[in-house]
Amino acid sequence: MNVTRWFRRVRVDEFVKDQDGASTIEAVLWMPVFLVLVGASVDITMIFHAHSRVLRVVQDVNRAMSVGRITTEDTAETKMVQMLPSYSDVQAYVDVTDGIITSQVSVPVSSVIAIGMVASLMDNNIIVRTQQFLEQ
């Protein structure tokens, strides 16, 4: 009986002193921080990608209007919205004054982000505004 108690006590002492699982606890504590950072990185990357995509669409439509392929401001606005189908609530504005085409597109950040880790940016809009000379 004494031997059995001693054997149990030795195992418990060894278990308490063993350091093999110490890094697991640290990893479990830090994992939420890393997941939040990765999620925020994904959302911010999506915002920058959307800005680049919207800028390209606005430049393409401005160029088409500049060379005469698109003739009216309403057609240009409709074309911009049609070229961005994956974003909701896209608002486009085009104005031609004194030979300068001014275009502006607004896309809500909430329709762009994938995960939603950057909640403080959800109420903002991505706004792209460009100007180009009319070449006609």
Side-chain angles (χ1 to χ4, degrees):
M1 191 89 120
N2 271 343
V3 174
T4 308
R5 278 191 204 155
W6 179 81
F7 186 67
R8 286 185 193 163
R9 186 171 181 197
V10 170
R11 283 189 150 185
V12 170
D13 288 344
E14 286 176 9
F15 178 75
V16 170
K17 292 177 183 177
D18 193 11
Q19 295 291 319
D20 286 342
S23 62
T24 305
I25 293 173
E26 292 173 2
V28 168
L29 292 174
W30 281 102
M31 187 62 67
V33 174
F34 290 127
L35 291 176
V36 166
L37 287 174
V38 168
S41 299
V42 168
D43 283 343
I44 291 171
T45 300
M46 293 296 288
I47 291 169
F48 280 112
H49 172 71
H51 182 272
S52 174
R53 189 169 170 201
V54 170
L55 178 63
R56 182 63 184 172
V57 165
V58 172
Q59 288 173 338
D60 285 347
V61 172
N62 273 2
R63 177 70 180 148
M65 194 164 186
S66 174
V67 296
R69 284 190 308 227
I70 297 176
T71 55
T72 66
E73 297 164 0
D74 290 335
T75 306
E77 291 172 0
T78 304
K79 184 72 172 172
M80 285 182 196
V81 173
Q82 288 174 349
M83 291 176 74
L84 298 167
S86 57
Y87 305 132
S88 62
D89 299 327
V90 176
Q91 297 176 353
Y93 167 77
V94 178
D95 181 44
V96 180
T97 306
D98 297 329
I100 297 175
I101 305 166
T102 303
S103 300
Q104 178 174 318
V105 173
S106 175
V107 178
V109 172
S110 59
S111 71
V112 171
I113 61 173
I115 298 174
M117 289 296 212
V118 217
S120 61
L121 298 176
M122 294 285 278
D123 295 332
N124 294 324
N125 291 326
I126 299 170
I127 298 174
V128 176
R129 183 173 189 209
T130 64
Q131 294 181 327
Q132 182 167 336
F133 285 109
L134 193 59
E135 296 181 11
Q136 296 177 7

